[in-house]
Amino acid sequence: MVPTLIKDILVSEPDGKNITVCGWVRTVRDSKNLVFIQVNDGSCFANIQLTFDRNNPSDNANADSIEAELKKLNTGASIRAEGLLVPSPASGQAVEVTLEKLTCLGVCPPEEYPLQKNKMSMEYLRENAHLRARTNTFGAVYRMRNQMAFAVHSFFQERGFQYINAPEITCSDCEGAGEMFQVTTLSMEKIAEMGVKAGLGGMKIEDAHKIVDYSKDFFGKKANLTVSGQLEAETLATALSRVYTFGPTFRAENSNTPRHLAEFWMIEPEMAFFTLEDDMDIQEEFIKYLLNWALTKCREDLEFFNKRIQPGLIEMLEHVVNSKFKRISYTDAIAELEKHADKFEFKPYWGCDIATEHERYLTEQIFKCPVMVYNYPKEIKSFYMKLNEDGKTVRAVDVLVPGIGEIIGGSEREENYDKLLAACKERNMDMSNYEWYLDLRRFGTVPHAGFGLGFERLIRYVTGMENIRDVIPYPRAPKLADF
């Protein structure tokens, strides 16, 4: 018999029907004549209680077999159980299962099992990432991650977007920061030998191109893991009107902080015929949709996070959902921040990149609601953003929310060929990798806009988890590529 998921059992009528349960033992409590087993299968936060009554062994033909299997059980053991679904006299649960059959599928030696009953640190659980999903905290994190992914697709599919797949290997750098992981089949040892023969023993890494012949590499040119699927998404938006990518991206940024990952997932929609104002409208709608989904469909897990991880989390999320987002220009935002300059470690000034402390102050102290800051100085934004008439700012927008600061970055894209080409040349970009991108402006160009939302940043926000490494199953960061 196929086992029934515990989340379905817990909402079933306790009508005495026969049911099969599979899962992992959380606790076993033996009180002489009654045995209580708490089992979880990961389908929901709650456990199902299995009971075995020794007072009436004649009523159960498998009593001896059950007794033998009970001796194998410890926390972490996996089981298959069959029994009758009946009302539970215990508080906090409506149903339980009276055992008819029990099989221990996998024993779990208690002295060796890394997940002990005492409180474990997040660092310790990170070292045991292959098992941490069995804890209450990480089971809830991964269920929330699943629901948020489904919500992302639901939002865009309901609005006529086409889901596309951007390549993970690319020869272009969307952000222009140069912090990319190189993809090559060339032997590093042979490259080093070539450097020695060329008399470049003290060669710096940025000078490697002087001796490396990339025409002999797999792709025939220098290639990297992508930092964004945006540029490729733009090509399809100019044919399909509204598209979105949702996939892994990579940054070789040597930042060992609770807010950075080297591998993470990005949600990147691109919309033809959208202006910056249209872009901001859908961004606000998107955030509210996602948070409302978490509040309504993930309530049990969210209540756990609210109680154990971040008190006040639910109230904060509800506040965002029920707020009208404040829209303010970068120039006006800086002016507001300068009034409170003594509050900040990094003093705000026109031309600076707004820091997290500034973002949170805007949302939590000045406006007390989510804030959308738009029209940034062109020097601190990417080459593809549309230049405003003032020649100093671009039509970019960042969405800031209480608790973490920036959660979305987006812009109206530059659709004018000459202006985009000038922006590329101003940054000394290798145009051989961007001719195809410029073609979009040569052949039927249209106003268009888009944005990016880091999926792990979203999960961190809706769970209250402090470290971004704890909202992805296997984090990748400097000196960290375990499992």
Side-chain angles (χ1 to χ4, degrees):
M1 184 184 296
V2 174
T4 305
L5 290 174
I6 290 173
K7 71 180 182 69
D8 296 326
I9 295 175
L10 293 174
V11 295
S12 298
E13 287 295 323
D15 53 7
K17 64 184 175 186
N18 193 274
I19 203 162
T20 299
V21 179
C22 289
W24 293 267
V25 173
R26 288 293 175 87
T27 62
V28 179
R29 183 162 56 91
D30 194 330
S31 58
K32 291 188 178 179
N33 294 324
L34 283 174
V35 180
F36 302 94
I37 309 169
Q38 293 286 333
V39 179
N40 189 278
D41 65 359
S43 63
C44 63
F45 186 86
N47 306 320
I48 187 70
Q49 179 169 275
L50 313 182
T51 63
F52 176 59
D53 188 353
R54 292 193 176 104
N55 285 318
N56 302 297
S58 59
D59 292 345
N60 192 331
N62 299 305
D64 291 341
S65 172
I66 290 174
E67 289 284 8
E69 294 300 297
L70 285 172
K71 293 175 183 178
K72 303 176 186 178
L73 300 190
N74 290 297
T75 299
S78 59
I79 65 167
R80 182 183 186 91
E82 294 180 33
L84 306 179
L85 187 65
V86 299
S88 176
S91 61
Q93 55 188 29
V95 298
E96 63 183 32
V97 177
T98 59
L99 279 176
E100 297 285 314
K101 293 181 182 179
L102 177 66
T103 304
C104 178
L105 300 174
V107 297
C108 187
E111 65 280 0
E112 299 174 24
Y113 189 42
L115 304 183
Q116 299 301 319
K117 292 182 180 179
N118 55 307
K119 188 174 181 180
M120 297 165 286
S121 70
M122 291 298 176
E123 290 79 7
Y124 176 79
L125 289 171
R126 226 169 280 141
E127 293 169 1
N128 292 277
H130 57 305
L131 297 172
R132 66 178 179 172
R134 299 188 191 183
T135 65
N136 285 334
T137 298
F138 287 94
V141 166
Y142 299 141
R143 283 190 295 273
M144 181 66 81
R145 190 179 171 98
N146 165 67
Q147 281 292 331
M148 288 295 94
F150 188 46
V152 167
H153 286 293
S154 296
F155 177 85
F156 289 120
Q157 292 296 323
E158 289 170 10
R159 287 156 182 79
F161 282 70
Q162 308 292 327
Y163 174 49
I164 64 167
N165 303 110
E168 293 179 33
I169 298 173
T170 180
C171 296
S172 61
D173 181 359
C174 179
E175 298 304 318
E179 295 163 338
M180 305 179 76
F181 289 101
Q182 189 171 343
V183 178
T184 181
T185 56
L186 296 174
S187 164
M188 294 297 104
E189 290 80 6
K190 288 185 178 179
I191 292 174
E193 289 176 9
M194 292 165 66
V196 171
K197 291 178 181 178
L200 298 173
M203 178 180 59
K204 295 181 180 179
I205 191 67
E206 57 265 29
D207 295 327
H209 69 277
K210 295 177 180 177
I211 59 168
V212 176
D213 183 0
Y214 283 109
S215 67
K216 297 179 180 178
D217 204 353
F218 187 89
F219 294 106
K221 59 173 70 175
K222 187 176 180 180
N224 305 285
L225 293 179
T226 186
V227 298
S228 169
Q230 177 199 315
L231 303 188
E232 291 83 3
E234 285 188 53
T235 67
L236 294 181
T238 57
L240 303 176
S241 289
R242 300 178 191 178
V243 303
Y244 69 104
T245 71
F246 185 7
T249 53
F250 309 85
R251 301 270 171 99
E253 182 180 357
N254 193 19
S255 296
N256 210 349
T257 77
R259 298 183 296 110
H260 290 88
L261 288 170
E263 178 185 2
F264 53 97
W265 285 62
M266 283 291 290
I267 303 151
E268 297 176 294
E270 287 292 325
M271 296 81 67
F273 314 107
F274 269 48
T275 64
L276 179 65
E277 290 70 29
D278 300 324
D279 202 14
M280 289 194 283
D281 288 343
I282 199 169
Q283 288 173 29
E284 180 172 347
E285 187 183 1
F286 186 43
I287 291 296
K288 290 181 176 180
Y289 184 97
L290 294 175
L291 300 192
N292 191 60
W293 188 289
L295 287 163
T296 56
K297 299 183 185 292
C298 312
R299 196 71 187 192
E300 186 180 31
D301 289 323
L302 202 53
E303 287 173 353
F304 167 79
F305 294 128
N306 191 72
K307 182 178 180 180
R308 297 292 184 89
I309 304 299
Q310 183 183 324
L313 175 65
I314 290 177
E315 182 181 2
M316 181 182 70
L317 299 179
E318 288 176 338
H319 172 64
V320 172
V321 169
N322 295 321
S323 294
K324 174 65 178 174
F325 288 19
K326 173 70 177 178
R327 300 185 184 187
I328 185 172
S329 71
Y330 169 90
T331 299
D332 290 342
I334 290 296
E336 287 291 335
L337 291 169
E338 286 177 330
K339 296 176 185 177
H340 309 274
D342 59 317
K343 304 285 187 183
F344 306 118
E345 179 182 357
F346 300 103
K347 305 306 178 188
Y349 59 90
W350 201 97
C352 76
D353 204 352
I354 297 178
T356 300
E357 60 174 336
H358 305 147
E359 295 168 347
R360 294 193 60 176
Y361 199 84
L362 285 168
T363 60
E364 297 168 25
Q365 302 298 324
I366 297 178
F367 298 110
K368 301 187 187 313
C369 68
V371 177
M372 307 180 90
V373 180
Y374 61 90
N375 287 353
Y376 279 78
K378 67 176 184 178
E379 286 78 14
I380 61 173
K381 289 297 183 179
S382 297
F383 73 96
Y384 51 76
M385 297 183 177
K386 183 176 178 62
L387 190 66
N388 280 312
E389 291 183 3
D390 61 15
K392 299 189 303 180
T393 61
V394 290
R395 294 178 65 76
V397 60
D398 287 342
V399 181
L400 318 178
V401 290
I404 62 170
E406 182 192 343
I407 194 167
I408 280 180
S411 72
E412 186 173 343
R413 317 312 192 189
E414 182 57 74
E415 85 277 11
N416 181 282
Y417 177 89
D418 293 328
K419 290 181 180 179
L420 180 59
L421 180 60
C424 293
K425 289 181 176 179
E426 191 175 307
R427 291 165 173 77
N428 296 314
M429 295 166 58
D430 179 1
M431 296 312 298
S432 65
N433 292 324
Y434 298 93
E435 288 296 340
W436 59 272
Y437 185 65
L438 286 165
D439 275 352
L440 301 180
R441 279 73 179 171
R442 293 176 60 211
F443 306 124
T445 187
V446 295
H448 61 291
F451 64 87
L453 169 63
F455 190 52
E456 283 70 31
R457 186 170 293 190
L458 169 68
I459 304 304
R460 184 172 168 235
Y461 192 56
V462 295
T463 60
M465 296 294 285
E466 185 175 344
N467 197 315
I468 200 167
R469 299 181 188 189
D470 296 327
V471 296
I472 191 169
Y474 299 105
R476 298 293 181 250
K479 305 295 188 292
L480 181 63
D482 299 332
F483 306 101

